Amino acid sequence: MAAILTNLRNTVIAGLVLLVIIVIIMGALFGYPGFGGQAWLQFLFRWLHIISGVMWIGLLWYLNFIQIPTMPKIPDELKPAIGKHIAPAVLFWFRWGAMATIITGLILAWLNGYIVEAITIGLGGTKNVAHTAIGIGMWMGAIMWFNVWFVIWPNQKKALGMVEASADEKAKAARTAMLFSRTNTLLSFPMLYCMVSAQHGGFG
C-alpha cells in the first residue's frame, strides 16, 4: 500500500483502477443501459469537466486563500523555493486545468445540444432559464480562462524569472497577475452558482 500512496502517479493509477472496478461491479449488478451511447458520452464529458474544474478552481483558491496571503509571512531566505519549485508546478496544473475545463465544457454543451443557446445566453428564440444560467456561467468561465492564459501566466513568467525582466517589471507583473487572479476568484462564485443552477434549479 505504501508503494501506491507514496508515489503520486501510482496513487492516480490506483484511483482510476478502483473507478473501473466500481463501474464493472455496478454494471454486473444493474446492467449497462446505453453504455457507450450518446447519454453515456454526455456523462463522460460532464465527469471530465467536473474533474478539470476541481483542479482549476481548487488551485485558484489555493493561490488566493493560502499562497498569496502567506507569502509576506515567509522568511526571505525561504521565498526562492516557492518561486522556483512550488509556484511553477502549481501554475502548470492551474493553466492546463483551465484549458481542460473550457474544452470539456464546450464539448459537453455541444453533446447536449445547447451550445448555441448557451453562447447567446439563451436570449435567442425560446427563453430557457437553464440555457441563460449555463450561458452566463460559460462566459464567466471563458473570461477566467482568458485571464489565466493571456494575463496571469505571461505575467507570472516575468515575476518568477522564467523570462527576462527587470526588477520593476517583475514587481509590476506580480501585481498584475495577483489582481487578475483575484478577479478570477471573484468570478468563480457566481460562475459556479450559474453552472450548478442550470442542472439543479438555482433560479427557481
Side-chain angles (χ1 to χ4, degrees), residues 12-151:
V12 172
I13 292 172
L16 294 174
V17 169
L18 178 59
L19 169 61
V20 171
I21 292 171
I22 291 171
V23 170
I24 291 172
I25 292 173
M26 293 294 286
L29 291 173
F30 303 105
Y32 292 101
F35 186 79
Q38 179 76 6
W40 183 82
L41 279 176
Q42 291 170 355
F43 165 77
L44 175 64
F45 277 95
R46 187 180 304 281
W47 180 73
L48 292 172
H49 184 56
I50 292 170
I51 290 290
S52 303
V54 168
M55 174 68 78
W56 178 20
I57 302 304
L59 289 174
L60 171 69
W61 287 354
Y62 160 77
L63 288 166
N64 282 275
F65 285 93
I66 299 172
Q67 183 168 307
I68 294 173
T70 305
M71 283 298 288
K73 304 172 188 176
I74 297 175
D76 289 341
E77 64 271 17
L78 299 179
K79 287 181 180 178
I82 304 294
K84 289 182 180 179
H85 301 286
I86 295 176
V90 169
L91 291 168
F92 174 85
W93 292 105
F94 175 64
R95 68 182 187 275
W96 286 109
M99 183 66 77
T101 302
I102 202 83
I103 291 173
T104 55
L106 289 170
I107 293 173
L108 179 61
W110 175 69
L111 288 171
N112 280 287
Y114 58 70
I115 189 167
V116 174
E117 290 82 356
I119 290 174
T120 58
I121 319 181
L123 299 179
T126 304
K127 292 183 180 179
N128 183 306
V129 66
H131 292 159
T132 300
I134 201 74
I136 293 171
M138 283 176 64
W139 277 108
M140 286 185 174
I143 291 168
M144 293 167 65
W145 167 84
F146 181 90
N147 288 345
V148 168
W149 277 92
F150 298 100
V151 183

